[in-house]
Amino acid sequence: MRTASVLVQTLCVPCYNRCRYCLLRWDGHPVGADYERSQAYAGRFYDWIKKERPELQFHFSFGYSMDHPRLFEALDFLRRIGSVFAEMLQMDGVRFREGAALASWLGEIRQAGVKRLNFTFYGLEDYHDRFAGRKGDFAYLVRMIDCALKIGFELSAGIPLTHENAEDAAALVSLLREHGMENIRCFVPHSEGRGISLEAVRFSQRDFDVLPATVQGLINGQAYMSEASWLEKGFHPMEKRMLLLSLTPENIARLEGQPFDETMAEMEALDEAYYEALPDMEELAALYGDPQNDRWYGQRDLLYHYQRRYIEEKGLRLYDVTDERQTGSRRY
């Protein structure tokens, strides 16, 4: 397995939503280390990688939302390390700003070099607001879209499809088109974090079959398909990994005093210990695959589904490198 990139993160910026499928299980209490200290550490790590491991990509992020209280300083740092996040912001979960305040904020973001904004819509207005856990969120996103288009941003939107919202997908796409949103994609939400709560309403082949062609065409059929189709067509090989270093008040002092090559080795050891304890994708599919199952998955999500079953069946106690709130890895 080849390490291809390193992501350093600190989960220190609050999110104003409480989405049903939050990957990071946001509960109103940030768990990340102090931002300035984390940025300084990330800057030193970046400089070390550029000198000692130039073949690796390096990324830095903060969460739970992009609504950083000193956003423009953060963007300057992201630009220094060549991060794509210096030019693209995810707009979900930012605090409400209205009228001139919203226009001014978006204008400052554009002047700071951000070119693209991304939005997520969980359904039509009432359903979206319940899913996002914030009344008025849908209308606010639409107002942001209208304002951002006037300022000159490139915009994109994602729609996570479930059995609950599939019948409204066509109307939602039409509404977004009316507001000038051209780049729309539909996807099947993951079951990581709080996403496990969506298993009972997972999107299925039957849901797909009744979608109009205009919506079907917005789904990447190579990335998402039914379990039956994955088992028939086979899986994409996973040959690379991203190492994720999550900075917290509990670990940052130790990491600051540790050589970066030791930190790299530590993260790689966590990844290898986890995957060595589990069968590979093909073996797991042979054990648990259901060739009659018409529910849709991404490959990573289907692997996660099988791994959970194996871990529970064998009673394993493993450090979960797939939990993106903590230090771990993502194979792809």
Side-chain angles (χ1 to χ4, degrees):
M1 180 59 56
R2 180 172 69 85
T3 298
S5 61
V6 175
L7 168 63
V8 176
Q9 73 174 13
T10 177
L11 300 176
C12 65
V13 178
C15 179
Y16 290 85
N17 287 356
R18 196 68 65 87
C19 298
R20 278 173 63 188
Y21 78 150
C22 180
L23 175 69
L24 301 172
R25 295 186 179 96
W26 167 243
D27 63 1
H29 301 91
V31 301
D34 172 76
Y35 179 79
E36 289 189 3
R37 192 172 175 183
S38 299
Q39 178 181 290
Y41 175 83
R44 294 192 298 273
F45 205 155
Y46 169 77
D47 292 339
W48 179 84
I49 279 183
K50 292 294 288 183
K51 179 180 178 182
E52 303 294 339
R53 298 289 302 276
E55 77 280 8
L56 299 180
Q57 294 183 337
F58 182 85
H59 309 283
F60 176 69
S61 70
F62 52 87
Y64 298 79
S65 80
M66 303 298 288
D67 205 345
H68 195 294
R70 294 164 63 179
L71 177 61
F72 303 107
E73 293 178 31
L75 289 172
D76 285 342
F77 175 71
L78 292 174
R79 192 171 299 108
R80 179 176 92 76
I81 65 172
S83 171
V84 296
F85 300 118
E87 295 187 354
M88 191 280 286
L89 291 184
Q90 169 57 252
M91 302 304 288
D92 302 330
V94 302
R95 68 182 175 87
F96 286 159
R97 297 172 174 85
E98 303 299 339
L102 176 60
S104 175
W105 184 62
L106 290 176
E108 290 173 354
I109 289 173
R110 186 70 185 89
Q111 290 177 4
V114 176
K115 300 176 181 178
R116 299 178 293 279
L117 304 179
N118 179 260
F119 303 80
T120 307
F121 288 87
Y122 304 117
L124 295 174
E125 187 166 7
D126 289 344
Y127 182 85
H128 171 96
D129 286 357
R130 291 196 304 273
F131 194 103
R134 180 164 64 157
K135 183 69 175 175
D137 190 67
F138 182 95
Y140 181 52
L141 293 183
V142 172
R143 290 197 297 276
M144 278 202 287
I145 288 171
D146 292 342
C147 186
L149 281 173
K150 295 175 183 177
I151 293 172
F153 284 102
E154 300 172 30
L155 305 182
S156 61
I159 303 173
L161 293 174
T162 69
H163 176 69
E164 288 182 340
N165 70 1
E167 65 180 16
D168 293 330
L172 177 57
V173 169
S174 178
L175 184 151
L176 294 176
R177 299 280 192 219
E178 289 173 6
H179 283 269
M181 180 66 70
E182 297 181 358
N183 184 0
I184 302 172
R185 69 181 181 94
C186 295
F187 61 95
V188 178
H190 57 75
S191 60
E192 298 176 63
R194 281 204 297 268
I196 190 66
S197 68
L198 300 181
E199 278 302 301
V201 295
R202 181 173 284 277
F203 186 75
S204 72
Q205 188 66 41
R206 284 165 289 180
D207 296 318
F208 177 83
D209 290 341
V210 298
L211 290 175
T214 51
V215 179
Q216 290 181 347
L218 301 178
I219 306 172
N220 181 346
Q222 298 299 311
Y224 304 101
M225 63 184 86
S226 69
E227 180 178 5
S229 295
W230 278 115
L231 294 172
E232 178 184 355
K233 296 180 179 180
F235 304 105
H236 310 310
M238 294 191 297
E239 300 170 338
K240 297 183 285 187
R241 65 186 168 197
M242 178 193 75
L243 301 176
L244 167 62
L245 184 63
S246 191
L247 302 177
T248 69
E250 293 75 26
N251 70 11
I252 190 166
R254 179 182 68 83
L255 290 167
E256 287 170 330
Q258 179 170 275
F260 293 118
D261 57 348
E262 291 184 16
T263 300
M264 291 285 297
E266 192 175 277
M267 290 190 287
E268 290 176 339
L270 288 174
D271 171 89
E272 288 160 10
Y274 180 80
Y275 284 97
E276 286 173 3
L278 301 172
D280 64 22
M281 186 71 175
E282 286 72 19
E283 293 177 82
L284 288 168
L287 287 170
Y288 303 115
D290 180 359
Q292 305 304 316
N293 186 13
D294 76 339
R295 297 194 303 168
W296 278 44
Y297 298 83
Q299 177 173 305
R300 172 178 164 86
D301 200 35
L302 186 56
L303 172 61
Y304 185 62
H305 173 66
Y306 292 154
Q307 287 174 336
R308 280 202 312 268
R309 290 191 59 183
Y310 185 87
I311 290 168
E312 292 170 4
E313 183 179 287
K314 301 298 183 182
L316 300 180
R317 290 175 169 264
L318 301 177
Y319 177 89
D320 188 1
V321 297
T322 72
D323 184 340
E324 297 200 11
R325 297 170 299 170
Q326 62 189 24
T327 296
S329 62
R330 178 183 285 267
R331 291 191 173 191
Y332 59 98

